[in-house]
Amino acid sequence: MDFHRPSHSITIGEQLVYTYAMKNFYKTRLWPDEKWRWIIPILLIALFLLTLIWLPWQAQRMEANERQEQLIADTLWVEQAIQFQIDRNDEMLRQIGADIMNMQLSPSTVLERFRNLLKNNHEIARLVWFDQQDLVVTSTSELAIHSKDAQIPHYTESGSIELDNKTRCFAPQAPKPGSRAAYPISCQIPLIKGNQHFGSIVITYQASGILEELVPWWFAQDNQISLIDSDDRVVATRASGGIGKNVYTHNRNLELPGITLTLRTNSNKREPTFLSNLLVLLVVLLSLGLIWSLIALWRDINRRLAAEGALRQQVTFRTAMENSLITGLRARDMQGRMTYVNPAFCKMVGYPAEQIIGRLPPMPYWAPEAIEEYQRRFTQLLAGSVPQDGFETIYQHASGERIPVLIYESPLIDETGHQTGWMSSILDISELKRAQDLTRQQEEKLHASARLATMGEIASMLAHELNQPLAAISSYTTGAINLLNAGTTDQGSLLTALDKVNAQAQRAGQIIRSVYEFVKKRAPSREPLDINELIQNTLPLIELQALSTHIQLQWMPLPGLPKVLADQVLIEQVLLNLTRNAIEAMQQTPPEQRFLRIQVSLDAAEQGLAVEVADRGHGIAPTVAERLFSPFFSTKSSGMGMGLNICRTAIEFHGGTLNHRPNPAGGSIFRFVLPLLPPDDKSGQDAASSHP
């Protein structure tokens, strides 16, 4: 053996042999120099072994301490949760008590609110309302009304309940034998307003119910929880995960007004097991878990960023779309409070969004003259009666300008399918109204032009017709002058001549008045009319048109017809246009077959009066019939193509219809229907001044 081998290169066994040899051979001389060479490795090995032993032990102790600290923290949290829920129940019952004293709630209403409270808070066993005489007014338990348990115990030192607002709790002196679940805890909430006592509300808990409902399942799964009274008696226990091991325990006082209970927690966990490779295993597991968590976090961040980007894009798109709309949008909740408006709506009414959102009616853009209409529609909206076809109204701009709008209302449904309010789309129809007014003015001009054109065609016939009564007047007046010059005394002949002069003058005047009434320009107005009388008054003009072509006019009135609400001049114009077309259609018809028939009848299907104009002319070809009522379409070389279009417009203005069909005897039949005026309709007087 080489005793001079360097000590730093030998093993532990060799170091021991070397030390032993040194003791034998160089015991006196070498010991002081070589003793640290084997002491230091031994110390290092011992330190390493101690470290290996101490680290798991320390980890075990740290884990035990952490468990104990966690148990204390969890127990404190559970105690605060129980205390918070009991205080919350106390506040809700005090609110009910305040409503009882201020609003004088009925027992049924209070019972309903008690039941709602029980429904949402299962830790409550019973709720009882006592009056001033400590008698039960209402209770959530039918048995409690006649039960001794429902009486208010006298728990103060003086033997009576003090007149103050403090909540006091009381419990039985001892649990009922054989059942810990029967340990009730009752708290009395006095109903006192000023110096007046209105009774009290007593809320009763079961000790077991407090543990079952207010202790989280995860806490009960790891611990045995018990409630202990002031005499160290266990009144309730919950051990979902098994009996506690008495390794980790903690007691926490549960302070209730009047009584004190102890919340004891006993963990069902054992002491941490001592594993030599626990730290290594944990490090490996934590490292793997950390890597997996980083990968999962990276993937989740990417997904979240992608989702946020898509959401941001959608929000930007929807915001741009809403800002680009010319249709006003607004949203209201179930109480009618404004919750959203888009820029188009704000621009329409002239108010910024912050002045509208959050407001309840009346709104600043409501016109004063339409307040009653707004209130009525708002009431209908809250009742769920929403018009499907929309409605027109007016808004007042911030500048005072009136804006006609068309509003469509619809329910606002959330992602769960429940209605959360109403959504409205508002269209500014100012331009549409102006266009309608312009169209109406153009139609009036067309009607006037058509009347003038018609009068131009009958001007020559009118002159011919007036020549006859004027010539007769001249002849009769000449004869009367001759009789007077001759000095005759035959007054009968003179009166006869003068009567005939008067009759001819009346005839000429009637013809002139008919033409004047037809031609003069005025605003269309509807009034109750007798259709037979209207046609009868128009017959002189129709006869003038038919006179030159030797057409026989057949007028077939129907007596006893109800009146219609119509504009006299428009209907006369329709009759003259239709009869003029019929007369022109019979130019090539043999004279003996030239019949123009005007007939009135009741139309039961359309509930109106039907007027037919039938001719025996050349008829209407199918290709022409398709475009017959189109504007500017005419089969005449000199026609404007507006006659039948104006006729249909005039009839539709009255709510009627105009159509045609072939005449079985040859020719065509044009038929228009006007709605009847109801017998009790008094709108005729008001309609006389209305405009289309």
Side-chain angles (χ1 to χ4, degrees):
M1 179 177 296
D2 187 4
F3 295 106
H4 298 282
R5 186 177 181 180
S7 60
H8 63 271
S9 62
I10 60 175
T11 64
I12 295 176
E14 292 176 337
Q15 180 67 31
L16 294 175
V17 173
Y18 175 78
T19 303
Y20 178 74
M22 290 295 294
K23 288 180 179 181
N24 292 328
F25 293 97
Y26 307 100
K27 185 175 182 181
T28 303
R29 185 174 58 88
L30 296 178
W31 172 251
D33 298 331
E34 301 293 335
K35 61 180 180 180
W36 294 108
R37 295 185 178 181
W38 60 269
I39 292 177
I40 292 176
I42 292 176
L43 291 177
L44 292 176
I45 293 173
L47 181 61
F48 177 73
L49 293 175
L50 289 175
T51 303
L52 292 179
I53 296 174
W54 178 81
L55 285 179
W57 177 83
Q58 183 64 22
Q60 180 185 14
R61 297 313 304 164
M62 292 178 61
E63 182 179 358
N65 292 335
E66 289 177 358
R67 289 184 181 181
Q68 182 66 29
E69 292 174 358
Q70 185 64 41
L71 178 65
I72 294 173
D74 291 344
T75 303
L76 177 60
W77 184 88
V78 170
E79 180 268 332
Q80 290 177 348
I82 295 174
Q83 194 71 51
F84 172 78
Q85 185 61 36
I86 292 175
D87 293 341
R88 183 171 175 268
N89 294 339
D90 182 88
E91 291 178 2
M92 288 189 288
L93 290 177
R94 285 188 179 275
Q95 181 61 43
I96 295 175
D99 293 343
I100 291 174
M101 293 184 289
N102 297 329
M103 303 172 61
Q104 297 180 356
L105 299 181
S106 62
S108 60
T109 303
V110 175
L111 180 58
E112 181 65 23
R113 294 180 68 172
F114 279 177
R115 287 176 176 169
N116 289 336
L117 192 58
L118 284 176
K119 182 179 179 181
N120 298 323
N121 301 274
H122 299 288
E123 71 277 3
I124 302 175
R126 182 177 63 194
L127 291 169
V128 185
W129 173 23
F130 293 93
D131 60 9
Q132 297 91 330
Q133 289 75 32
D134 295 342
L135 297 178
V136 177
V137 179
T138 185
S139 173
T140 56
S141 174
E142 296 293 336
L143 297 177
I145 299 177
H146 306 288
S147 173
K148 295 181 179 179
D149 294 339
Q151 302 301 319
I152 299 178
H154 299 291
Y155 56 87
T156 59
E157 295 180 358
S158 60
S160 62
I161 299 174
E162 297 178 0
L163 189 63
D164 58 27
N165 285 324
K166 294 181 180 179
T167 300
R168 293 182 175 84
C169 299
F170 47 90
Q173 296 297 327
K176 293 184 179 181
S179 176
R180 291 180 177 175
Y183 186 82
I185 301 173
S186 299
C187 296
Q188 179 196 12
I189 303 171
L191 304 182
I192 297 174
K193 184 178 181 182
N195 295 325
Q196 187 176 0
H197 178 55
F198 287 86
S200 60
I201 297 176
V202 175
I203 178 172
T204 302
Y205 304 94
Q206 293 292 348
S208 58
I210 293 177
L211 297 182
E212 291 293 335
E213 299 297 333
L214 301 184
V215 176
W217 66 268
W218 52 267
F219 188 74
Q221 194 70 26
D222 295 335
N223 304 279
Q224 176 186 355
I225 310 101
S226 302
L227 281 179
I228 302 173
D229 62 7
S230 57
D231 297 329
D232 289 336
R233 291 177 297 197
V234 177
V235 297
T237 299
R238 180 180 179 186
S240 302
I243 304 300
K245 306 301 183 183
N246 294 321
V247 177
Y248 306 105
T249 61
H250 184 68
N251 293 340
R252 186 77 184 178
N253 288 337
L254 185 62
E255 299 291 343
L256 299 176
I259 62 173
T260 300
L261 297 176
T262 300
L263 182 67
R264 175 177 293 175
T265 54
N266 189 353
S267 177
N268 53 23
K269 296 182 180 179
R270 300 179 180 275
E271 285 280 357
T273 59
F274 184 83
L275 298 176
S276 59
N277 57 349
L278 178 61
L279 294 178
V280 177
L281 180 62
L282 288 177
V283 170
V284 173
L285 292 178
L286 288 175
S287 300
L288 294 177
L290 180 60
I291 295 174
W292 179 85
S293 298
L294 291 175
I295 295 174
L297 181 61
W298 176 78
R299 183 178 58 185
D300 182 69
I301 290 175
N302 286 338
R303 291 178 179 177
R304 185 179 298 273
L305 290 176
E308 290 178 355
L311 180 60
R312 189 180 300 106
Q313 184 179 4
Q314 287 293 326
V315 170
T316 304
F317 172 73
R318 291 180 182 274
T319 302
M321 182 176 63
E322 292 175 3
N323 294 338
S324 302
L325 283 175
I326 61 174
T327 302
L329 298 178
R330 70 180 180 193
R332 292 181 283 184
D333 60 16
M334 298 299 292
Q335 287 74 39
R337 182 179 289 101
M338 195 76 70
T339 58
Y340 167 79
V341 290
N342 71 335
F345 182 82
C346 296
K347 182 180 179 182
M348 187 183 302
V349 299
Y351 291 95
E354 54 269 16
Q355 294 186 14
I356 303 176
I357 294 178
R359 290 194 56 164
L360 284 169
M363 294 300 181
Y365 51 83
W366 284 8
E369 64 271 17
I371 290 293
E372 294 183 359
E373 177 191 356
Y374 298 146
Q375 293 289 1
R376 176 175 56 82
R377 292 193 180 277
F378 181 71
T379 303
Q380 293 176 351
L381 182 69
L382 294 182
S385 177
V386 179
Q388 299 295 326
D389 300 331
F391 60 91
E392 291 186 14
T393 186
I394 58 172
Y395 280 163
Q396 178 176 290
H397 193 268
S399 62
E401 179 186 359
R402 298 302 191 271
I403 306 170
V405 293
L406 177 61
I407 302 177
Y408 292 92
E409 302 274 7
S410 61
L412 183 61
I413 308 300
D414 63 8
E415 66 277 3
T416 62
H418 295 86
Q419 182 180 355
T420 59
W422 290 270
M423 192 71 192
S424 308
S425 58
I426 300 95
L427 300 176
D428 185 349
I429 55 175
S430 302
E431 294 297 330
L432 177 61
K433 288 294 185 182
R434 283 192 284 268
Q436 290 177 348
D437 292 341
L438 180 60
T439 301
R440 184 174 65 251
Q441 294 173 7
Q442 295 297 331
E443 289 180 353
E444 292 177 1
K445 292 180 180 179
L446 286 175
H447 293 325
S449 300
R451 289 196 298 270
L452 292 175
T454 301
M455 291 309 302
E457 294 178 1
I458 66 174
S460 59
M461 294 181 290
L462 178 61
H464 179 270
E465 185 66 16
L466 287 177
N467 281 333
Q468 295 180 5
L470 292 176
I473 290 173
S474 178
S475 299
Y476 290 137
T477 54
T478 301
I481 292 172
N482 292 334
L483 290 175
L484 292 174
N485 291 332
T488 180
T489 59
D490 188 0
Q491 294 183 358
S493 299
L494 185 60
L495 291 175
T496 299
L498 293 177
D499 287 340
K500 291 183 178 181
V501 169
N502 182 56
Q504 293 298 325
Q506 291 288 342
R507 179 185 176 191
Q510 177 63 32
I511 294 173
I512 294 173
R513 282 193 299 273
S514 298
V515 173
Y516 173 74
E517 289 294 330
F518 179 74
V519 174
K520 72 177 181 178
K521 185 178 185 299
R522 63 181 181 85
S525 61
R526 289 183 286 182
E527 56 186 4
L529 297 177
D530 186 337
I531 196 68
N532 289 323
E533 182 179 350
L534 184 145
I535 297 176
Q536 185 68 38
N537 294 335
T538 314
L539 285 180
L541 297 177
I542 299 176
E543 291 174 349
L544 284 177
Q545 296 181 102
L547 184 64
S548 61
T549 54
H550 306 289
I551 292 176
Q552 300 183 37
L553 181 62
Q554 297 178 346
W555 161 228
M556 303 174 65
L558 184 62
L561 291 176
K563 293 185 177 182
V564 295
L565 188 65
D567 181 274
Q568 179 178 352
V569 174
L570 290 180
I571 302 303
E572 288 178 353
Q573 180 179 348
V574 171
L575 282 171
L576 288 175
N577 281 343
L578 294 180
T579 54
R580 181 185 59 189
N581 290 342
I583 291 171
E584 293 177 352
M586 291 187 289
Q587 296 295 325
Q588 305 300 325
T589 303
E592 65 274 8
Q593 297 181 8
R594 296 178 182 178
F595 294 101
L596 176 61
R597 175 171 55 85
I598 302 176
Q599 183 177 355
V600 181
S601 62
L602 278 171
D603 191 314
E606 299 188 31
Q607 297 182 352
L609 284 181
V611 179
E612 293 184 353
V613 177
D615 63 69
R616 301 285 296 277
H618 51 70
I620 300 174
T623 55
V624 175
E626 296 177 357
R627 304 177 57 193
L628 191 60
F629 295 98
S630 300
F632 307 107
F633 174 77
S634 177
T635 57
K636 307 173 188 177
S637 58
S638 61
M640 295 176 59
M642 294 299 296
L644 289 178
N645 179 262
I646 292 175
C647 291
R648 169 168 282 187
T649 302
I651 296 300
E652 290 178 349
F653 161 69
H654 291 84
T657 58
L658 172 63
N659 50 48
H660 70 92
R661 69 177 187 273
N663 190 350
S668 303
I669 299 176
F670 282 81
R671 180 175 184 268
F672 63 88
V673 181
L674 297 175
L676 295 176
L677 178 67
D680 57 347
D681 190 351
K682 299 181 181 179
S683 63
Q685 299 177 356
D686 300 332
S689 61
S690 64
H691 297 277

